[in-house]
Each structure stands twice: as structure tokens, then as C-alpha cells.
Amino acid sequence: MSVYQVPYTGLPRQAAGIKKELLAAFEKVVDSGHYILGPNLKAFEERFAAFCGSRFALGVANGTSALQLVWKVRGAGPGDEVITAPNSFLASASSIATTGAKPVFVDIGPDLNIAPELIEKAITPRTKGIVPVHLTGRPARMPEINSIAEKHGLFVLEDAAQAVGASLDGKRVGSWGNAAGFSLHPLKNLFVYGDGGVITTSDPDLREKLLQARNHGLRSREQCDFWSDNSRLDELQAALLLVHMEALDGWTARRRELAHRYNDLLSPFVEVPLEGPGEYCVYQTYVIQAEDRDGLQSFLQSNGVEALIHYRTPIHLQPAAASLGYTVSDFPKTVRACSRILSLPLFPAMTALQQDIVVSLIRDFHEKRPESRMEPVTAS
Ligand SMILES: *Cc1c(COP(=O)(O)O)cnc(C)c1O
């Protein structure tokens, strides 16, 4: 038994609703004898590409590998720079750095995503591309980012790991950039029972190279054109994903319903993530901002609510980034956000009662401490 009355997530309950279908799919794969690069993967890839509005999708081993493989086939390496946001999961930057290229960070806007108006200042003759991250399931400002990329001849790789199904102006993430990487980690909105990832692209040449890159650089059983990784998505996971794809719209609708209800109930006490014009957010994380974030987190925790921080330390201040030479004063918006953000429990199987518990605790915390209540914010 968890000590939490309201856990951060509830995967077994979410799977319970489709367990019969999952077990049937599992049995079919086991009986088929075909476990790698087979018909389930192909069916999932077609389904996922259509879902994103992209021409192609490729299943890979995880979300980090999805991003890495794209940079690998694009030839990013020592001497190259790639621009991304410092408030993200590490992999947005590590997938650049592990090619030998240098991650170059740009501060964020009020949506917690990369601020397009700051990108051009960071472009140098060595800049190879831009990685906008759709953090929390909220789409980055892609029209502006794409036009900067076009002007400077840069490749755009969306880090869509947290944002399957999110869209901007009716166009889904995964269809905006030259390519996109998705994660199927169990905490992501579309997930597998282990690790998995997907790449989308509408570029047939890029797709051909990526098909080889995920499979040892092999062109055929006999011919290896370049050294590469083994980064494939299993048939078993693909078969289970096909079941999840049927449920995904319902899961997303429930996440949005919970998020909007949180927004209504919490806005007098904390800063809530209001959607901007044209944005359709999918809330992989539901992130509020509070003055006394650490106090609020401990209060929730001591009352049985598991709230987490994504992420306390921005990437540019990680020990791994020390050689890049950034300091705490480089990205003030990011550093400020990192001290205020708190991810509340929000998952498709969450009950209204669980949500009411979270809301009433946050209300209690602020009503007992009027000094930490937010100034009212005006919509920007
Ligand atoms: C989860 C995540 C990744 C990495 O995905 P994995 O499947 O865990 O390798 C990359 N970027 C972001 C923003 C993520 O949230």
C-alpha cells in the first residue's frame, strides 16, 4: 500500500480498464513467434504517423534514443551547436551533447517553453538546429520557431516526449518540425510497459536513414552502411500500444478535464497553467507555481498527497553541464520558474474525490498563510 491517499500517478488502475484487450494482444504476439520488426510495429507506426499528421513514424528503444538518432543521421558532432531550453528533462540536451555537439541554451517565456524572441541572439555560424521542447504537454511557439529556422537554414527537432496529442492552431506536435522525438516511458501520456520511443518525420530520405540507424546501420541482412545502435521498439510493446491508441483520446480528454477543474479551483491561491490562444495542451504534468513551493510540497506530502518537481535543477546548472560554463544568472526566467514550480497529481484514473483532497489542502495552506497568496495575475 502506498502511503499516499493521492499518489502522483495510477498506472495499474489505468491499465485495468483495458486489461482484457492487453492480455489478448500479448497472447497473439507470443503465439505468432514474431517479436522484432514485425506487423504490430508497422501497424503502430502507420497509426501514430496519421495521429500526428506526419508522413512517417518509427518506433525506437526510448525517447532519448529517438532524439539521438535524429542528430546522428543529421551528422551533428564536435564543433556544432544546437539550441534548446534549459528547463526540461536532461535528455533534451544530453541527446545533443552525446553526439559531441554543444547544447546552447535559451531562456523561457511565461509558457515555460523556449522564448522564440531570444533564439536569434544565440545563433552562430556553428548552429546546426533548434530543439523546442513541448514541456508539460504544452506546445512551444512553433510558427515563430520555424520561421527563424527557415531564415537561418536550421533543422528543427521537436522534443515532443511530454506532448503526444498536443496541438497549436489545430496542428499536432510531431508535424511541425523536420522531425520529432516522443517518449513512451510509463509516465508519459502514451506509454509502454517498460521503455519505448517514436520518431516522426515527413522527409522520406531522413526516414530511410533512420530506419537503418535504429537497426545497426543495416541496409539489408548482409550490408551495414554505417556503425549505429540497436534501438528498436518490440513487437510486444507495439501490440500493446495499438490497444493504448484506442484509449488515448479518452485519457487525454480526462487529463484536460481535470486540468481545467484544477485551474478553476486553484487560481485564487497559486499561478495556474492557463492555455494560450490556439493551444491544446495535454498535461503530461500539471504544473502550478507558488511563492512558497517547498513549504507547499511538504504540507501536501505530510497530508498524503504526492506532488513532484519537474525539474528542480535546470539543465545548465547540472554538474554534467559544468564545462559549458553557464552560471545561475544566465537564464533568470528559468531559474525563477524552477524555484516555484510544483507538479500536482493528475492522471486519467484520478477520481474527483482525490482531486478535491488536493484542492482543499492547497486552499488550507494558503488560507492559513495569507502572506504567501499570489497577487492576482492578468492574462498576457
Ligand atoms: C521523458 C523525456 C525524454 C526522454 O525520454 P525517455 O523515453 O525517458 O528516454 C526526453 N525529453 C523530455 C522532455 C522528456 O520528458
Side-chain angles (χ1 to χ4, degrees):
M1 255 295 277
S2 157
V3 298
Y4 292 105
Q5 300 159 30
V6 187
Y8 186 70
T9 189
L11 289 168
R13 273 200 42 212
Q14 190 173 341
I18 47 172
K19 203 160 166 188
K20 250 177 63 187
E21 292 85 346
L22 291 171
L23 294 178
F26 186 103
E27 193 168 8
K28 238 172 120 179
V29 175
V30 170
D31 290 344
S32 77
H34 200 158
Y35 306 137
I36 286 178
L37 298 181
N40 287 288
L41 180 62
K42 188 163 181 288
F44 167 69
E45 289 173 338
E46 282 169 8
R47 184 89 190 260
F48 192 83
F51 177 83
C52 293
S54 176
R55 277 184 72 189
F56 310 110
L58 297 91
V60 294
N62 55 67
T64 306
S65 180
L67 300 168
Q68 273 169 340
L69 289 176
V70 173
W71 289 126
K72 180 184 174 71
V73 306
R74 287 292 298 174
D80 295 325
E81 297 176 355
V82 176
I83 292 170
T84 190
N87 74 321
S88 181
F89 181 61
L90 303 166
S92 307
S94 69
S95 54
I96 298 164
T98 51
T99 69
K102 180 179 160 192
V104 171
F105 298 109
V106 164
D107 212 354
I108 56 169
D111 61 355
L112 303 182
N113 286 326
I114 195 166
E117 62 276 13
L118 301 178
I119 291 176
E120 281 196 294
K121 268 190 292 188
I123 295 174
T124 75
R126 296 178 294 281
T127 307
K128 192 113 185 168
I130 307 173
V131 177
V133 183
H134 308 298
L135 202 72
T136 76
R138 181 173 193 167
R141 286 157 61 191
M142 294 310 298
E144 287 140 282
I145 294 166
N146 278 355
S147 65
I148 295 165
E150 209 167 301
K151 181 171 154 201
H152 295 271
L154 302 176
F155 187 87
V156 175
L157 172 57
E158 296 169 71
D159 182 340
Q162 301 190 355
V164 66
S167 66
L168 185 61
D169 302 333
K171 184 173 161 63
R172 282 205 166 128
V173 305
S175 68
W176 284 91
N178 299 93
F182 291 83
S183 169
L184 302 171
H185 180 280
L187 286 180
K188 307 300 163 80
N189 291 13
L190 177 68
F191 64 95
V192 293
Y193 297 86
D195 274 309
V198 199
I199 302 168
T200 55
T201 183
S202 291
D203 175 344
D205 295 332
L206 192 62
R207 173 186 182 243
E208 284 307 310
K209 290 198 197 97
L210 286 167
L211 283 171
Q212 283 182 258
R214 76 168 175 191
N215 191 28
H216 305 289
L218 286 165
R219 169 176 298 276
S220 63
R221 272 188 72 88
E222 308 295 335
Q223 184 182 327
C224 173
D225 290 340
F226 55 90
W227 306 133
S228 193
D229 302 301
N230 173 353
S231 177
R232 300 175 303 221
L233 181 66
D234 300 337
E235 275 293 287
L236 198 48
Q237 299 288 15
L240 302 177
L241 276 166
L242 284 166
V243 177
H244 283 193
M245 287 300 288
E246 296 290 333
L248 180 60
D249 288 344
W251 290 342
T252 301
R254 179 66 183 146
R255 281 180 184 276
R256 286 175 53 77
E257 187 182 7
L258 289 163
H260 296 155
R261 185 160 181 264
Y262 264 145
N263 281 354
D264 289 345
L265 299 173
L266 294 178
S267 60
F269 310 110
V270 293
E271 188 176 333
V272 297
L274 298 176
E275 291 182 15
E279 290 178 356
Y280 183 93
C281 305
V282 296
Y283 303 97
Q284 190 261 336
T285 44
Y286 177 82
V287 177
I288 58 163
Q289 296 190 48
E291 287 307 325
D292 183 9
R293 186 269 315 275
D294 290 334
L296 178 58
Q297 186 189 26
S298 319
F299 179 76
L300 290 173
Q301 190 169 347
S302 60
N303 285 285
V305 170
E306 187 180 22
L308 303 177
I309 297 168
H310 302 96
Y311 300 90
R312 187 186 289 274
T313 305
I315 308 174
H316 67 293
L317 300 179
Q318 289 289 345
S323 67
L324 299 173
Y326 290 106
T327 72
V328 74
S329 52
D330 283 319
F331 308 116
K333 297 244 167 60
T334 294
V335 168
R336 178 167 189 269
C338 288
S339 72
R340 293 165 49 88
I341 49 176
L342 187 63
S343 308
L344 301 183
L346 187 156
F347 48 94
M350 188 179 197
T351 64
L353 177 63
Q354 286 177 317
Q355 189 173 37
D356 289 341
I357 292 171
V358 179
V359 169
S360 65
L361 286 168
I362 292 175
R363 195 181 49 223
D364 288 352
F365 180 80
H366 288 87
E367 280 175 352
K368 278 189 213 122
R369 302 156 167 246
E371 77 281 3
S372 64
R373 195 176 302 168
M374 286 244 329
E375 297 286 312
V377 272
T378 44
S380 55

